[in-house]
Amino acid sequence: MKKQTFQIQGMHCASCALNIEKALLKESAIKKAVVNYANEKAYFEFDENLIEMEKIRGIVESLGNYKIVEAGDSMHHDDNLKSIKRKFIWSAILTIPVLSTMFFMPEFGMNWLNVEIEKWIIAVLTFVVVIVIGWQFHKGMIMQLRHVSANMDSLISIGTLAAFLFSIYSMFVGGDAFFETAAVIITLILLGKYLEARSKGNASNAIRKLMELGVKKAKVFAGDKIVEMEIEKVKVDDIVLVKAGEKIPLDGIIIEGETSIDESMLTGESIPVDKKVKDKVFGATMNQSGVIKVKVTQVGEATVLSQIIKLVEQAQSSKAPIQKLADQVSGVFVPVVIGIAVITFVVWFFVLQIGLATSLINAVAVLVIACPCALGLATPTAIIVGTGRGAEAGVLIKNSQSLEIAYKVDTVIFDKTGTLTKGDLMVKKVYSNPAKKYTEDKLLKIAGSIAMNSEHPVSKSIYNYVVNKQIEINTKFHDIKELSGRGVIAKCEHSRRVMLGNRKLIEEQGVVIAWMDQFQSMGGTIVFIAHDVDGVIGAIQVEDQIHENSVEAVKKLQQTGKKVIMLTGDKMTNAQSIAKQLGVDDFIAEVLPEEKASKVIELQNKGKIVAFVGDGINDAPALAQANLGLAIGGGTDVAMETGDIVLMKGDPLKVASAIVLSKTTFQIIKQNLFFAFIYNILGIPLAALGFLNPMIAAAAMSLSSVSVVTNSLRVKRMKD
């Protein structure tokens, strides 16, 4: 199944997007189609063996004045904006003399076909504005009619053509003409379209900024020479040179040199990160000080920057559940409005017998005041701005549903290690069992030799401590077995079992545990070293460091009404001590990794909406089970499949930022929908009752869309 995102040019309202979606989903080979009017993008999932892209293109372009655009987002948007602006300017220039006839009509003293020449001039100017410059609306209506459908083009086309053709008729019979009405409607709608397009461009700036971050060329070593080549030609394992003040061209590993790198485009944090040999670096980040050589490890779509762009695009193309109501209304909106306009004309002309001119003008006002655009823009523009603002702050929202869920979350569970604590465990002290007489170095040699075979943070901290003390490692251990949540068992060269783990492991292996009792109330994590002949021979106390922002993060979440729970595999006394320091509402201790998801389920069964914060790997089941999974990527791992929101930096404050961002965005969405609905609910009846001139209606319709987008842009001002 191929997944692809395209741009669609020519959509004028939410009805356009819905019509395209419906037509595409009629094809059995297209499994998913989401068309977003706000950013003019369409996300397709289709079987390329059953349907070709050309056929999809043909379906879209047959529905209306639409075109699938392959060019980059920035290029297409800029060209479209210039085109709309140019049309508006010419329309305004030609409309001004037409509008001025409301106050002053020149007299040239000449007639043609028994009609004053000045009226012909006004008719011609109006013709150019309505038919020539406004042709896009009429073409859209014609193409919609071919499919027995309608959209905003239909409303504008019917309204302006009715006013223009009636004015031509009146010109010959000596009645009231409404040339200025038809011309002003087109001009004001083009103005609204220009302001709307510019605002939408501001809303989707995040994607363009991310794309612009990429490096165009790289300095690549070719033997003894350095060759500057296009970034697309650089391959994995190539060595690139990066000088101070230059951007890292692609993801890689430093093989020579030391430096500090500004990774703010990834994490949202402006403080440079020190880097040395063997450290990872990422494309588009800024090398600030030293000269380094980097071995390329990822190119093209595999780079972190490309993955970020892909995640943001997917989120902006998805639909939030709250948008369903707007979609349902938009699906029937235009036909209903046309029906109301017809009823308006019939009532005024046949029932009230007011006259053809007034009846027609009131019907035109109904057509022009109605605005499906505002409904179509209400949700997606807020999502576009919200997800873009999140990306700038290092909070990657993978789908728009997450924003709505995050808004409803009432309980936040933190997996302690690596979230509330740094996950950078340190060996505090080594204890030797006096009855066994093992030296500290001997204990560390055994512990380090076993720990080197485990990826668990505790094991890694012990191994690093042993290496830093330059104690020799025994590589002859075999039959190594890691038991989740307990520790590691191995056999030495004499086939004796050696154990490194917690009390549960030692008890399970049937080893005498008497000496271990003194550690029951001790802080930190106690790891025991045991031998199946000598029993427990020693212990190592390992402590985690609480993240400097954890206390503030907990307070911020509590201030937003969230209950904060800490989940940990630590023993009860240690968990209690850390929980007290952090100020969490509750904690759950001595939880095995496979039990984390069940703890989430327990809370969900009590009616709680649960967010789980974890590292995205060991916590995958819990992240998937939670109503909202927040995966901490440590600034690099954005390719996580688990987690609805990826936090690019291991900072617990980012959790609070994600929750606050979602709340702000969702509030904006609700405001937008309210304004969009109330505008149409009030505007259409006022127009039908004759209280609105069509020109005022056109201005109001244009401004309604702009106001929705402008309101969405307020999310940009949100602080981290």
Side-chain angles (χ1 to χ4, degrees):
M1 196 67 64
K2 189 172 183 179
K3 300 177 181 179
Q4 202 156 349
T5 301
F6 298 97
Q7 290 174 321
I8 298 182
Q9 189 175 1
M11 292 190 293
H12 296 141
C13 66
S15 300
C16 299
L18 290 172
N19 290 339
I20 295 171
E21 275 185 18
K22 289 174 183 177
L24 289 172
L25 290 173
K26 287 178 182 177
E27 294 287 333
S28 58
I30 301 176
K31 303 303 178 186
K32 186 175 183 180
V34 179
V35 183
N36 191 319
Y37 165 58
N39 61 5
E40 300 179 342
K41 288 187 178 179
Y43 174 75
F44 303 148
E45 289 183 19
F46 60 97
D47 189 335
E48 55 188 330
N49 296 318
L50 299 177
I51 188 169
E52 295 181 353
M53 188 58 217
E54 283 307 309
K55 185 173 181 181
I56 295 176
R57 188 188 304 276
I59 293 170
V60 172
E61 294 181 359
S62 71
L63 294 171
N65 193 23
Y66 311 131
K67 185 179 179 182
I68 289 182
V69 181
E70 303 289 352
D73 178 85
S74 179
M75 185 188 303
H76 160 57
H77 178 265
D78 292 344
D79 289 346
N80 188 43
L81 194 61
K82 287 177 183 176
S83 175
I84 297 172
K85 184 179 180 180
R86 188 165 54 248
K87 285 182 180 180
F88 162 68
I89 290 172
W90 277 110
S91 183
I93 290 170
L94 296 174
T95 297
I96 289 171
V98 178
L99 184 61
S100 66
T101 60
M102 292 180 64
F103 311 101
F104 170 74
M105 175 65 80
E107 295 182 4
F108 298 107
M110 291 185 289
N111 291 342
W112 185 55
L113 299 178
N114 294 321
V115 176
E116 296 88 342
I117 199 70
E118 54 268 22
K119 290 185 178 179
W120 281 110
I121 294 171
I122 298 304
V124 170
L125 291 174
T126 306
F127 175 83
V128 175
V129 172
V130 173
I131 306 300
V132 179
I133 297 175
W135 177 245
Q136 66 187 65
F137 304 114
H138 311 304
K139 182 181 178 182
M141 181 193 71
I142 293 166
M143 299 189 81
Q144 290 293 315
L145 282 175
R146 288 167 54 189
H147 295 272
V148 196
S149 185
N151 62 4
M152 197 192 82
D153 287 345
S154 308
L155 299 180
I156 297 168
S157 179
I158 294 169
T160 54
L161 284 177
F164 177 71
L165 294 175
F166 177 78
S167 297
I168 295 291
Y169 164 76
S170 297
M171 193 170 70
F172 285 102
V173 300
D176 294 329
F178 301 104
F179 288 120
E180 72 284 348
T181 298
V184 169
I185 288 172
I186 292 292
T187 302
L188 288 175
I189 287 171
L190 287 173
L191 172 60
K193 286 294 174 187
Y194 170 69
L195 295 173
E196 179 187 312
R198 194 171 68 174
S199 299
K200 286 198 295 184
N202 291 334
S204 57
N205 267 341
I207 286 280
R208 288 198 293 281
K209 284 180 180 177
L210 286 170
M211 288 178 170
E212 289 165 3
L213 286 173
V215 180
K216 306 301 179 186
K217 293 184 178 181
K219 297 181 181 74
V220 182
F221 283 91
D224 296 330
K225 296 181 179 179
I226 297 176
V227 180
E228 190 171 67
M229 63 173 63
E230 301 292 330
I231 202 73
E232 293 81 8
K233 296 180 180 178
V234 181
K235 301 186 293 293
V236 172
D237 293 335
D238 279 350
I239 309 298
V240 298
L241 178 71
V242 187
K243 298 178 181 179
E246 294 180 341
K247 285 183 179 180
I248 311 293
L250 293 161
D251 297 2
I253 298 173
I254 296 177
I255 60 171
E256 185 180 309
E258 294 185 358
T259 188
S260 60
I261 294 178
D262 178 0
E263 295 186 342
S264 58
M265 54 77 59
L266 285 179
T267 64
E269 300 295 329
S270 57
I271 300 173
V273 181
D274 293 333
K275 299 279 184 175
K276 59 185 184 300
V277 173
K278 293 185 179 180
D279 283 345
K280 292 181 180 180
V281 293
F282 307 96
T285 56
M286 181 65 74
N287 180 25
Q288 292 202 322
S289 53
V291 179
I292 55 174
K293 290 181 182 179
V294 176
K295 183 177 181 180
V296 176
T297 57
Q298 302 286 357
V299 297
E301 293 185 358
T303 62
V304 169
L305 177 62
S306 294
Q307 291 179 45
I308 290 173
I309 292 171
K310 187 177 179 181
L311 281 178
V312 177
E313 282 185 330
Q314 285 179 354
Q316 293 185 348
S317 297
S318 61
K319 288 189 178 182
I322 196 173
Q323 194 173 342
K324 288 179 180 177
L325 176 61
D327 282 351
Q328 289 170 353
V329 173
S330 298
V332 297
F333 187 87
V334 174
V336 168
V337 170
I338 292 173
I340 294 172
V342 170
I343 293 170
T344 300
F345 178 81
V346 169
V347 170
W348 280 97
F349 186 69
F350 292 104
V351 179
L352 301 177
Q353 298 181 347
I354 295 298
L356 180 60
T358 302
S359 302
L360 185 63
I361 284 300
N362 289 342
V364 169
V366 170
L367 292 171
V368 176
I369 192 70
C371 188
C373 299
L375 286 172
L377 291 168
T379 302
T381 50
I383 288 169
I384 288 170
V385 179
T387 52
R389 180 69 189 91
E392 291 173 359
V395 177
L396 297 183
I397 299 160
K398 292 170 69 175
N399 54 69
S400 57
Q401 291 90 331
S402 303
L403 286 168
E404 189 164 340
I405 295 168
Y407 174 73
K408 298 174 182 177
V409 163
D410 53 34
T411 305
V412 180
I413 301 177
F414 282 89
D415 179 60
K416 176 180 73 70
T417 305
T419 56
L420 293 171
T421 62
K422 291 183 177 179
D424 185 16
L425 302 173
M426 304 284 291
V427 173
K428 186 178 181 181
K429 192 170 183 180
V430 180
Y431 300 88
S432 177
N433 186 342
K436 307 301 177 182
K437 298 181 180 177
Y438 278 75
T439 65
E440 181 176 317
D441 283 0
K442 178 67 173 175
L443 288 171
L444 288 172
K445 179 177 181 178
I446 296 169
S449 302
I450 301 173
M452 70 179 292
N453 300 289
S454 170
E455 287 299 311
H456 192 280
V458 173
S459 297
K460 288 169 78 172
S461 68
I462 293 172
Y463 173 72
N464 291 334
Y465 183 76
V466 172
V467 170
N468 290 336
K469 292 202 70 162
Q470 298 183 332
I471 296 173
E472 183 184 0
I473 296 293
N474 184 352
T475 59
K476 295 181 180 179
F477 282 93
H478 59 94
D479 290 349
I480 299 155
K481 186 186 294 183
E482 185 167 5
L483 301 175
S484 180
R486 296 186 284 284
V488 186
I489 301 174
K491 288 184 179 179
C492 61
E493 53 262 58
H494 303 298
S495 293
R496 296 290 187 183
R497 284 186 312 148
V498 182
M499 289 144 269
L500 178 72
N502 58 21
R503 187 183 182 97
K504 282 184 181 179
L505 176 73
I506 308 303
E507 288 175 342
E508 286 174 359
Q509 300 305 313
V511 175
V512 177
I513 61 172
W515 181 71
M516 294 162 56
D517 291 341
Q518 64 181 301
F519 299 98
Q520 288 281 64
S521 59
M522 189 173 288
T525 299
I526 306 298
V527 181
F528 297 100
I529 311 158
H531 193 284
D532 62 358
V533 174
D534 293 334
V536 180
I537 58 177
I540 300 174
Q541 184 182 17
V542 178
E543 280 193 340
D544 197 355
Q545 301 176 63
I546 292 176
H547 197 285
E548 59 269 18
N549 291 333
S550 289
V551 174
E552 186 181 353
V554 170
K555 282 182 180 177
K556 277 195 171 183
L557 287 168
Q558 289 170 335
Q559 286 168 359
T560 61
K562 316 299 180 191
K563 182 178 181 181
V564 182
I565 298 174
M566 183 186 76
L567 193 68
T568 178
D570 274 355
K571 60 187 179 183
M572 182 63 70
T573 52
N574 196 36
Q576 193 170 21
S577 172
I578 293 175
K580 187 176 181 181
Q581 293 177 61
L582 293 170
V584 295
D585 297 295
D586 199 359
F587 69 93
I588 306 171
E590 299 179 7
V591 179
L592 296 177
E594 59 267 25
E595 296 174 342
K596 292 176 182 178
S598 63
K599 297 298 180 184
V600 173
I601 293 171
E602 285 178 20
L603 287 165
Q604 288 173 328
N605 289 339
K606 294 177 182 177
K608 302 295 183 184
I609 308 297
V610 180
F612 186 92
V613 187
D615 64 11
I617 303 169
N618 298 326
D619 303 319
L623 284 164
Q625 176 60 45
N627 301 93
L628 181 73
L630 295 101
I632 288 188
T636 62
D637 191 4
V638 300
M640 295 180 194
E641 291 301 321
T642 51
D644 304 296
I645 296 176
V646 176
L647 308 176
M648 296 296 293
K649 190 179 189 319
D651 184 347
L653 273 175
K654 294 291 182 185
V655 177
S657 295
I659 299 291
V660 172
L661 174 64
S662 69
K663 182 178 180 180
T664 303
T665 305
F666 199 71
Q667 285 174 338
I668 293 289
I669 289 172
K670 291 201 294 184
Q671 289 170 10
N672 285 348
L673 287 171
F674 172 78
F675 289 131
F677 276 112
I678 203 70
Y679 164 83
N680 285 294
I681 289 169
L682 295 177
I684 293 172
L686 285 173
L689 293 171
F691 292 118
L692 286 178
N693 180 283
M695 289 185 284
I696 297 173
M701 190 274 272
S702 298
L703 291 175
S704 67
S705 298
V706 177
S707 63
V708 164
V709 181
T710 304
N711 191 46
S712 297
L713 289 171
R714 291 197 299 118
V715 180
K716 277 191 171 185
R717 298 198 292 271
M718 194 195 101
K719 295 181 180 179
D720 293 348

